[in-house]
Amino acid sequence: MDLVAEQGFFTVRWHDGAVELLDQRLLPGTVRILRLSTAADVAAAIRDMAVRGAPAIGVTAALGLALGARELGDDPERFDGGFAGLCDLFAATRPTAKNLFWAIDRMRALVAGMRGVAAARIREALLDEAQAILEEDVRACRTMGAYGAQLVADGATVLTHCNAGALATAGYGSALGVIRGARDAGKAVRVLADETRPFLQGARLTAWELQRAAIPVTVIADGMAASLMRAGEIGCVVVGADRIAANGDVANKIGTYSIAVLARVHAVPFYVAAPSSTFDLDLGDGSRIPIEERSAAEMTHFGGMRIVPEGVPVRHPAFDVTPAVFVSAIVTELGVLRAPYRTSIARALGKGL
Amino acid sequence: MDLVAEQGFFTVRWHDGAVELLDQRLLPGTVRILRLSTAADVAAAIRDMAVRGAPAIGVTAALGLALGARELGDDPERFDGGFAGLCDLFAATRPTAKNLFWAIDRMRALVAGMRGVAAARIREALLDEAQAILEEDVRACRTMGAYGAQLVADGATVLTHCNAGALATAGYGSALGVIRGARDAGKAVRVLADETRPFLQGARLTAWELQRAAIPVTVIADGMAASLMRAGEIGCVVVGADRIAANGDVANKIGTYSIAVLARVHAVPFYVAAPSSTFDLDLGDGSRIPIEERSAAEMTHFGGMRIVPEGVPVRHPAFDVTPAVFVSAIVTELGVLRAPYRTSIARALGKGL
């Protein structure tokens, strides 16, 4: 997979003994690669949103664990204790994205299954596993793209929120993967990107990567979507997800629930695209999905300039939960899931009902 | 009326032969008064949004016409021609706010009624009329506040969008007038202010003036309102209006329609507060209200920093139209109007059905 040749950029990769990231905080103005040589630096990059997007966070944490394992010695007990500490480090970076915990659990299970094996061999296996997680993520996105393309009409205008693109995954994207899939299937498709306050992932990231993919994109303020739906200008909505409960309730970027309700009222289909690593079958519904509260500064300041008067409080939940009843379909690499979701999700993920 | 003593600031006033404005583009960081000595400068201040808010625009245009009349000579024909030109100048500043055209029409009617009177007398009468328009606007806001206070429960959290406050009127405010009215009636009231992209009137202006009024205010991103409604945290919505059609359809800041739909779905009352100068009985419904498209730069840049990649287009309609069916009541200085609005509006404004 040569993602740089195909997309013109990579989101996260292992290169020459370190984790490399495209620093998404500086886009679209500056394209800068962060080269991270310690697990602590990788964890900080996730926490500080140099990399973001649920699948990309999972892949980055896996690579960070493989990197961190190299800092641990060869003594088996110390290795196990040190690795548990690394898992805790990454688990504490962002609370909402299920893919993060899924990736950590997978790396932890690998180590548990190699008890008695030399640390050097475990380190090799961890790096192989992290690379596999990355490659599987790109493949899952391409498969979602192919499935999801069927949902997008030729000539459609698709509204998306936040960035669920190549930049939010190891490559190709989940929601934007569906859009790329429609394009790759020969369909004409145009995108309306919510700018997505306060972090502006839509204006900064979705617009940037779709421009590079030569897919027509227009940026709108989040409050404009409703009147464009009323005017009949939006064919469907496609968004990503940070965590999906067993009943199909979807946690995603703050503002997603708003769009889902507006889509229902205006009879616009509302699709979610997410790899199976996003599902949390331990949660019966979305009410117990932990919602990250991010810093007030991301609301009160903009490019260093204060936009909210000193002393005025702000709210900053980074995610909201969209009840499954508002979701027209969930596109996964296992197929397109429809209501009733408790059944379709359990069946697709191979768990008993 | 000593608004400075009461509010700590004035929005627009006649002072010492010139029009003075609080430059709202610099708030909340800088409090600067613009002193404008020509009608052209006043028109530019409206166009460039140094002053904004439909009633404030109307008052400012009236004062600007009084100022401009002083630039015209004493020759009756030249005066009439020059005054017509001034009216055209102000009419071309912003297309959506009805109050602008209402104020211009009122000043024009005054001149038409004084045909044959000396220009010096007409100039005096124009200034008196502009001052009357300003004072009536403040009185209308106070009356709206008293009527609207009845709609706000003691202890309520009120969501508002954009700024329909003292800064959007000659003083006291329309939507924020209702909130001030509730407070003045002894009710505890808290405000959630949508930051209101792209111009951030909520974060910058509503938060600033409510902080000065010691009314608790918290700023949220526009996309957060829906999940807060779902959580039961919003008691009612109160917004202003830029133009209201004969059937009660309401043009207001982009994003208002979104909130109105979300409020209906969540069974949250949605109130509009606007003086009678906002109504346009020549328009049967909202479909023909002219919607201003503002510059792309207000979307693509933020504090001088580019946030949308070069070459990516944006949309920037400054207003949207909320159909009357989503409006729980319209608070005016003539009383609280309820559906069916075609009847209640016609009756309140004293026009036949």
Side-chain angles (χ1 to χ4, degrees):
Chain A
M1 286 189 294
D2 188 347
L3 289 164
V4 176
E6 184 183 323
Q7 298 175 165
F9 64 92
F10 66 89
T11 301
V12 55
R13 70 177 180 187
W14 182 271
H15 188 70
D16 202 13
V19 175
E20 292 186 343
L21 294 174
L22 176 55
D23 190 341
Q24 300 191 26
R25 297 166 301 189
L26 306 179
L27 292 174
T30 303
V31 177
R32 184 181 300 163
I33 304 302
L34 287 178
R35 186 170 164 81
L36 308 170
S37 307
T38 70
D41 287 345
V42 177
I46 294 173
R47 195 168 45 239
D48 300 340
M49 294 180 71
V51 60
R52 27 63 53 201
I57 289 171
V59 169
T60 304
L63 291 169
L65 286 171
L67 181 66
R70 298 173 148 217
E71 303 162 19
L72 308 174
D74 286 341
D75 174 75
E77 284 211 8
R78 289 209 174 167
F79 185 91
D80 283 356
F83 191 76
L86 287 174
C87 290
D88 291 345
L89 171 72
F90 282 99
T93 51
R94 305 277 316 265
T96 304
K98 174 61 182 171
N99 319 61
L100 170 65
F101 304 98
W102 171 88
I104 294 169
D105 286 348
R106 189 160 149 179
M107 298 292 275
R108 191 189 274 127
L110 182 82
V111 170
M114 294 183 79
R115 200 141 284 168
V117 177
R121 290 277 310 278
I122 300 178
R123 281 193 279 270
E124 271 175 44
L126 282 168
L127 181 54
D128 288 348
E129 188 76 357
Q131 294 275 29
I133 288 173
L134 184 152
E135 286 170 23
E136 287 168 26
D137 189 60
V138 179
R139 274 201 300 277
C141 287
R142 289 189 203 280
T143 307
M144 280 189 274
Y147 280 124
Q150 305 163 27
L151 303 172
V152 179
D154 189 21
T157 296
V158 180
L159 174 70
T160 191
H161 188 68
C162 193
N163 171 268
L167 288 168
T169 59
Y172 204 75
S174 50
L176 299 193
V178 168
I179 289 161
R180 289 177 198 267
R183 191 267 316 267
D184 292 350
K187 293 179 180 179
V189 58
R190 309 181 66 84
V191 176
L192 284 171
D194 276 346
E195 63 173 6
T196 316
R197 281 285 293 152
F199 209 67
L200 295 171
Q201 292 94 334
R204 298 190 303 106
L205 308 180
T206 294
W208 184 82
E209 74 165 271
L210 290 180
Q211 185 181 43
R212 294 202 155 209
I215 294 173
V217 57
T218 298
V219 174
I220 62 172
D222 303 340
M224 295 175 190
S227 48
L228 292 173
M229 286 185 193
R230 181 156 179 261
E233 295 194 35
I234 296 175
C236 67
V237 179
V238 187
V239 298
D242 289 79
R243 195 182 292 223
I244 302 175
N247 71 337
D249 289 354
V250 174
N252 192 47
K253 182 55 49 200
I254 186 72
T256 301
Y257 170 59
S258 180
I259 298 164
V261 171
L262 294 166
R264 170 59 51 91
V265 170
H266 294 90
V268 172
F270 177 87
Y271 301 121
V272 174
S276 55
S277 53
T278 312
F279 290 80
D280 187 346
L281 299 190
D282 292 339
L283 297 185
D285 61 49
S287 64
R288 281 173 44 239
I289 297 177
I291 300 297
E292 179 179 10
E293 283 276 340
R294 289 193 62 85
S295 78
E298 288 176 0
M299 281 289 298
T300 55
H301 287 72
F302 205 116
M305 186 174 68
R306 178 172 270 281
I307 56 173
V308 175
E310 186 104 39
V312 170
V314 299
R315 297 284 294 266
H316 188 189
F319 304 94
D320 60 26
V321 174
T322 297
V325 69
F326 292 103
V327 179
S328 305
I330 304 176
V331 181
T332 77
E333 80 277 25
L334 305 169
V336 176
L337 312 184
R338 300 272 187 178
Y341 289 108
R342 203 175 286 282
T343 313
S344 59
I345 290 171
R347 192 172 290 148
L349 271 67
K351 307 287 166 78
L353 300 182
Chain B
M1 283 189 295
D2 188 347
L3 289 164
V4 175
E6 184 183 323
Q7 298 174 164
F9 64 92
F10 66 88
T11 301
V12 55
R13 69 177 180 188
W14 181 270
H15 189 70
D16 202 12
V19 175
E20 292 186 341
L21 294 174
L22 176 54
D23 189 342
Q24 301 191 25
R25 297 166 301 188
L26 305 179
L27 291 174
T30 303
V31 177
R32 185 181 299 163
I33 304 302
L34 288 177
R35 186 170 165 80
L36 308 169
S37 307
T38 71
D41 287 345
V42 177
I46 295 173
R47 195 168 46 237
D48 301 340
M49 293 179 71
V51 61
R52 27 63 52 201
I57 289 171
V59 169
T60 304
L63 291 168
L65 286 170
L67 182 65
R70 299 173 149 219
E71 302 161 21
L72 308 174
D74 286 339
D75 175 75
E77 284 211 6
R78 287 208 175 170
F79 186 92
D80 283 356
F83 191 77
L86 287 174
C87 290
D88 291 345
L89 171 72
F90 282 98
T93 51
R94 306 275 317 265
T96 304
K98 174 60 182 172
N99 319 60
L100 170 65
F101 304 97
W102 171 88
I104 294 169
D105 286 349
R106 189 160 147 180
M107 298 291 275
R108 191 190 274 127
L110 182 82
V111 171
M114 295 183 79
R115 198 141 284 166
V117 178
R121 291 276 311 279
I122 299 178
R123 280 194 281 270
E124 271 174 44
L126 281 168
L127 180 54
D128 289 346
E129 188 76 356
Q131 295 274 29
I133 288 173
L134 184 154
E135 286 169 24
E136 288 168 26
D137 189 60
V138 180
R139 274 201 300 277
C141 286
R142 291 190 202 280
T143 307
M144 280 190 273
Y147 281 125
Q150 305 164 26
L151 302 172
V152 179
D154 189 21
T157 296
V158 180
L159 174 70
T160 191
H161 188 69
C162 194
N163 172 268
L167 289 167
T169 59
Y172 203 75
S174 51
L176 299 192
V178 168
I179 289 162
R180 289 178 198 267
R183 191 267 316 266
D184 292 349
K187 294 180 180 179
V189 59
R190 309 182 65 83
V191 176
L192 284 171
D194 276 346
E195 63 174 6
T196 316
R197 281 283 293 154
F199 209 67
L200 295 170
Q201 292 94 334
R204 297 190 303 106
L205 309 180
T206 294
W208 184 82
E209 72 165 272
L210 289 180
Q211 185 180 44
R212 294 201 154 211
I215 294 173
V217 57
T218 299
V219 174
I220 63 173
D222 303 341
M224 294 175 190
S227 47
L228 292 172
M229 285 186 192
R230 183 158 178 259
E233 295 194 35
I234 296 175
C236 67
V237 180
V238 187
V239 299
D242 288 79
R243 195 182 294 222
I244 302 175
N247 72 336
D249 289 354
V250 175
N252 192 46
K253 181 56 49 198
I254 187 71
T256 301
Y257 171 59
S258 180
I259 298 164
V261 171
L262 294 166
R264 170 59 51 90
V265 169
H266 295 90
V268 172
F270 177 87
Y271 301 121
V272 173
S276 55
S277 53
T278 313
F279 290 79
D280 187 347
L281 300 189
D282 291 339
L283 297 185
D285 62 49
S287 64
R288 280 172 45 238
I289 297 177
I291 300 297
E292 178 179 11
E293 283 275 341
R294 289 194 62 86
S295 79
E298 288 176 1
M299 281 288 298
T300 56
H301 288 72
F302 205 115
M305 186 175 66
R306 177 172 271 282
I307 56 172
V308 175
E310 185 104 38
V312 170
V314 299
R315 297 283 294 267
H316 189 189
F319 304 94
D320 60 25
V321 175
T322 297
V325 69
F326 293 102
V327 179
S328 306
I330 303 175
V331 181
T332 77
E333 80 277 23
L334 306 168
V336 175
L337 312 184
R338 300 270 187 180
Y341 290 108
R342 203 176 287 281
T343 312
S344 59
I345 290 170
R347 191 172 292 147
L349 272 66
K351 307 287 166 82
L353 301 182

